[in-house]
Amino acid sequence: MQKPAPTNFPVHDLIRHRWSPRAFAEKPVEPSVLASLFEAARWAPSSSNEQPWAYLVAMKDEKENFAKTLGVLVEFNAGWAKEAPVLMIAVSRLNFQNGTPNRNAFYDTGAATALLSVEATARGLAVHQMAGFDPAKAKQVFEIPEDWEPIAAIAIGYPGDPSSLPQKLHDREVAPRTRKPLSEFVMSGRWGHTSLIVSQ
Ligand SMILES: Cc1cc2nc3c(=O)[nH]c(=O)nc-3n(C[C@H](O)[C@H](O)[C@H](O)COP(=O)(O)O)c2cc1C
């Protein structure tokens, strides 16, 4: 299923077609295709070129690793994400190499994952990020070092048939996509003053 964004201004097709499904096809993802997604993440910009991100990946056929990753998700997410062929945890390094705090670490990790998502879209794959997981448990089970923080869980796979989902999730899957208007977040001159670029 595709779910292109109903945009008010034209955007690149890859942006329009990226979305976060919960239904995944059974088709596995080739490791070489996944490698391209990480290559896209690798070339994201970051503060001081620190590249403060890491991804813990689990393919479905790695039974123990996959179960371990599934086990850190909240119940709601585990319910649908168990069908995805790939699960990951995105992790951010909180300090620069020199030990000073990197206040942009989360921002940069998000940027890397955004590029990964666009690369995935270009390859017919879908990426569904999740805040609904237990970061403390992830830190423990994956032996993540003290100055790294798990940020998001991620499901990746080829989009599947929405009718494979339970009714409630099916309804959310096929519901229209919505966004705030540009006038709410593009400002100019002072906080809350909509930029003329988007106000007409
Ligand atoms: C950081 C982050 C956390 C999210 N957490 C969850 C989650 O725990 N469970 C879920 O089903 N979707 C989650 N989502 C997906 C969002 O609900 C989704 O991106 C949003 O509704 C917009 O839909 P779209 O990505 O299809 O455009 C998350 C997305 C992001 C970026």
Side-chain angles (χ1 to χ4, degrees), residues 34-179:
L34 268 184
S36 286
L37 306 197
F38 294 122
E39 186 68 26
R42 180 176 173 231
W43 289 99
S46 63
S47 177
S48 300
N49 201 17
E50 174 73 16
Q51 305 155 66
W53 51 76
Y55 297 92
L56 282 152
V57 194
M59 314 280 277
K60 202 174 217 153
D61 59 2
E62 303 171 281
K63 287 204 163 40
E64 198 181 319
N65 190 19
F66 194 86
K68 202 161 120 176
T69 312
L70 203 56
V72 305
L73 302 186
V74 298
E75 202 181 336
F76 167 75
N77 286 329
W80 57 266
K82 67 178 189 305
E83 306 300 341
V86 183
L87 292 177
M88 318 200 292
I89 307 289
V91 190
S92 270
R93 189 178 190 178
L94 302 175
N95 295 322
F96 287 108
Q97 313 264 3
N98 67 11
T100 61
N102 179 0
R103 68 180 293 272
N104 289 111
F106 289 11
Y107 185 88
D108 292 346
T109 303
T113 304
L115 289 197
L116 180 152
S117 303
V118 172
E119 184 66 36
T121 309
R123 291 166 183 279
L125 284 162
V127 173
H128 197 136
Q129 299 171 70
M130 292 164 268
F133 76 106
D134 183 338
K137 188 172 177 189
K139 258 192 123 153
Q140 188 219 326
V141 299
F142 292 108
E143 302 169 57
I144 295 170
E146 197 50 46
D147 63 334
W148 288 76
E149 181 67 20
I151 305 301
I154 303 172
I156 301 183
Y158 295 95
D161 182 353
S163 61
S164 66
L165 294 168
Q167 191 61 46
K168 253 189 171 166
L169 286 187
H170 169 272
D171 294 350
R172 283 172 75 171
E173 195 84 341
V174 299
R177 299 180 65 193
T178 59
R179 286 300 192 266

Side-chain angles (χ1 to χ4, degrees), residues 8-30:
N8 293 341
F9 294 89
V11 297
H12 197 286
D13 259 359
L14 287 176
I15 310 287
R16 231 158 58 79
H17 285 283
R18 184 217 58 80
W19 73 293
S20 307
R22 295 189 179 88
F24 288 96
E26 264 180 43
K27 186 177 169 181
V29 184
E30 283 296 316

